[in-house]
Amino acid sequence: GLDAREWDEAAYRRGILRERDLSCRTLFRAVFYDQRDEPDPDVLLAAASSDGSLASFSLSSCIASSASAHAAPQPAAAALVDPVCIVQAHSGPVYDAKFYNDPIQPLLFSCGDDGHIRGWRWHEMQSCLLPLSLQGDHVEPILDLVNPQHEGPWGARSPIPENNAIAISKQDGSLFAAAGDACAYCWDVVCIYLRKVASVK
């Protein structure tokens, strides 16, 4: 028989809520990163979801898992593949993600409902050694940009507008954001990144 004294009610509730979140989670954006300079490249995928998470997947692992599932006598409806890394990137849905292809330090930018644009070191998201149960807050963004608030009558401040989409200029590295206040904002990523590195030193 089972020993009821070992029962963890809080963990059971968390598990039920987690399964419910996963069943109704929406994928808003998926972007591919191809490591062409690597001797044995694997195409990696970054996925932005409605629960505020940002996850990286190995495409070869996804294909292998799908092939093994379909090889079974009664294949499942869908093959579930664990991410290489998962980060709780935003406090609301993540609407878009784009790669900043710096040859030395590639970054993955994400934006969402909380009005933040965050830059993540891609190498940290593709080589995480922690088990999935310990992931979430283990990676810190290298950049955290916040949309400006507008001043209204009597000095009232507007809410921070959400970011619905981002784009990166390959010519000068600028980042453009389409925000919910009907404005587009341009960020100089190189300047901000260099200032961040200088302040850390």
Side-chain angles (χ1 to χ4, degrees):
L2 298 175
D3 188 352
R5 293 173 298 179
E6 300 284 329
W7 178 254
D8 188 344
E9 181 71 22
Y12 174 74
R13 290 176 181 271
R14 285 195 301 270
I16 293 295
L17 291 174
R18 178 65 177 163
E19 288 180 13
R20 187 178 300 169
D21 288 341
L22 289 173
S23 66
C24 62
R25 184 170 55 182
T26 301
L27 177 69
F28 283 117
R29 181 70 64 191
V31 288
F32 294 92
Y33 181 78
D34 192 352
Q35 307 174 87
R36 297 180 185 277
D37 298 330
E38 298 291 331
D40 186 19
D42 179 21
V43 179
L44 297 166
L45 168 73
S49 301
S50 58
D51 63 352
S53 67
L54 197 61
S56 63
F57 293 86
S58 164
L59 195 59
S60 61
S61 297
C62 294
I63 294 171
S65 176
S66 176
S68 62
H70 285 84
Q74 292 182 341
L80 297 178
V81 180
D82 287 331
V84 176
C85 176
I86 187 165
V87 174
Q88 192 59 40
H90 296 268
S91 58
V94 185
Y95 293 135
D96 201 2
K98 290 289 189 301
F99 279 108
Y100 184 86
N101 289 319
D102 184 281
I104 300 174
Q105 183 71 272
L107 300 176
L108 175 64
F109 279 95
S110 62
C111 71
D113 197 56
D114 57 3
H116 288 255
I117 302 170
R118 294 191 169 115
W120 310 85
R121 292 186 182 94
W122 179 239
H123 289 319
E124 289 186 5
M125 292 194 66
Q126 65 179 359
S127 59
C128 183
L129 300 178
L130 286 175
L132 281 175
S133 60
L134 299 179
Q135 295 184 23
D137 299 325
H138 63 293
V139 177
E140 293 289 331
I142 185 62
L143 294 176
D144 192 352
L145 313 173
V146 186
N147 280 340
Q149 293 174 284
H150 300 290
E151 187 172 337
W154 303 289
R157 306 290 289 177
S158 69
I160 299 176
E162 80 278 6
N163 290 297
N164 297 297
I166 52 177
I168 295 175
S169 169
K170 294 182 179 180
Q171 283 73 30
D172 60 3
S174 298
L175 186 149
F176 299 90
D181 59 356
C183 293
Y185 297 102
C186 178
W187 304 86
D188 187 337
V189 174
V190 175
C191 180
I192 296 170
Y193 181 69
L194 292 177
R195 202 178 335 166
K196 170 83 173 179
V197 172
S199 66
V200 171
K201 291 181 180 179

